[in-house]
Amino acid sequence: MNVLVLVGSLRAGSTNRQLAHAAVDHLPAGVDGTLFERLGELPHYSEELDHDDVLPEVARDLREAVADADALLLVTPEYNGSLSSALKNALDWLSRPRGAAAIVGKPAAVLGASGSPRGAQWAREDGVRVLRIAGAHVLADTVGVGAAFQAFDDGRLVDPTLDARLRSLLTRLTLEAETVRDAA
């Protein structure tokens, strides 16, 4: 089983990237996590580019990565009270073609980290909403890491309760992915 991870912060040392790596480390045995590292290469979504003869290679690769994954994990910072533009753009690419997109029915979960005590709450809420509209099967609960600049030590969450919530969410995501896969 493979969980594809999309990180909305393009900065290498971001707290959201640290959260993504902590999440991958918490995946159950036998489940792999793969970070899609090319969100910064995606052009802004345009229907003019969404045709086989002109479809950007990175958009094709992203769609194939989602199609091949058993589940999707969104890890988002909060920029101006919402998702990062990199994640929103990726979800726009993934939501097409409407009704037949690779994201349709895909189990998904949302995480977020921010310097604020709210832990990217609005961005996580927007992530859930956009994923649902795009057709993914999204877990209702999310995990947010507030005061994120102090939340990690050597790539691990220092708060054991938060760490347990992260592990629990990832277990539920993989169980949902197993259910979907077994039903197919």
Side-chain angles (χ1 to χ4, degrees):
M1 177 177 292
N2 185 46
V3 175
L4 183 68
V5 183
L6 303 180
V7 181
S9 176
L10 303 179
R11 189 170 54 85
S14 77
T15 55
N16 280 278
R17 188 160 300 277
Q18 290 177 60
L19 179 57
H21 287 290
V24 168
D25 288 344
H26 282 355
L27 288 170
V31 179
D32 294 320
T34 305
L35 273 68
F36 187 86
E37 298 285 4
R38 298 174 56 205
L39 291 188
E41 298 173 31
L42 274 172
H44 292 287
Y45 180 80
S46 170
E47 288 184 29
E48 292 176 357
L49 297 175
D50 199 358
H51 302 281
D52 284 337
D53 57 334
V54 294
L55 185 68
E57 179 182 349
V58 65
R60 184 180 327 270
D61 292 348
L62 176 62
R63 287 175 174 173
E64 288 173 3
V66 169
D68 292 343
D70 296 292
L72 185 61
L73 183 62
L74 227 66
V75 186
T76 184
E78 187 166 270
Y79 295 156
N80 297 311
S82 189
L83 294 171
S84 72
S85 61
L87 273 180
K88 177 61 170 74
N89 187 45
L91 293 173
D92 290 343
W93 279 104
L94 290 171
S95 69
R96 308 295 196 280
R98 189 78 183 140
I103 200 170
V104 172
K106 191 71 62 176
V110 180
L111 310 174
S114 72
S116 80
R118 297 172 48 117
Q121 180 181 346
W122 291 337
R124 289 182 286 122
E125 290 169 355
D126 283 354
V128 168
R129 186 186 72 237
V130 173
L131 280 164
R132 281 191 179 138
I133 291 169
H137 178 74
V138 189
L139 298 180
D141 55 331
T142 65
V143 172
V145 177
F149 300 110
Q150 294 83 32
F152 297 92
D153 183 28
D154 198 27
R156 296 172 194 236
L157 287 167
V158 295
D159 180 341
T161 303
L162 185 57
D163 194 62
R165 285 185 51 223
L166 177 61
R167 187 178 304 276
S168 175
L169 182 73
L170 294 166
T171 298
R172 288 194 314 278
L173 177 62
T174 56
L175 288 173
E176 183 64 30
E178 285 177 3
T179 301
V180 168
R181 187 177 61 187
D182 292 346

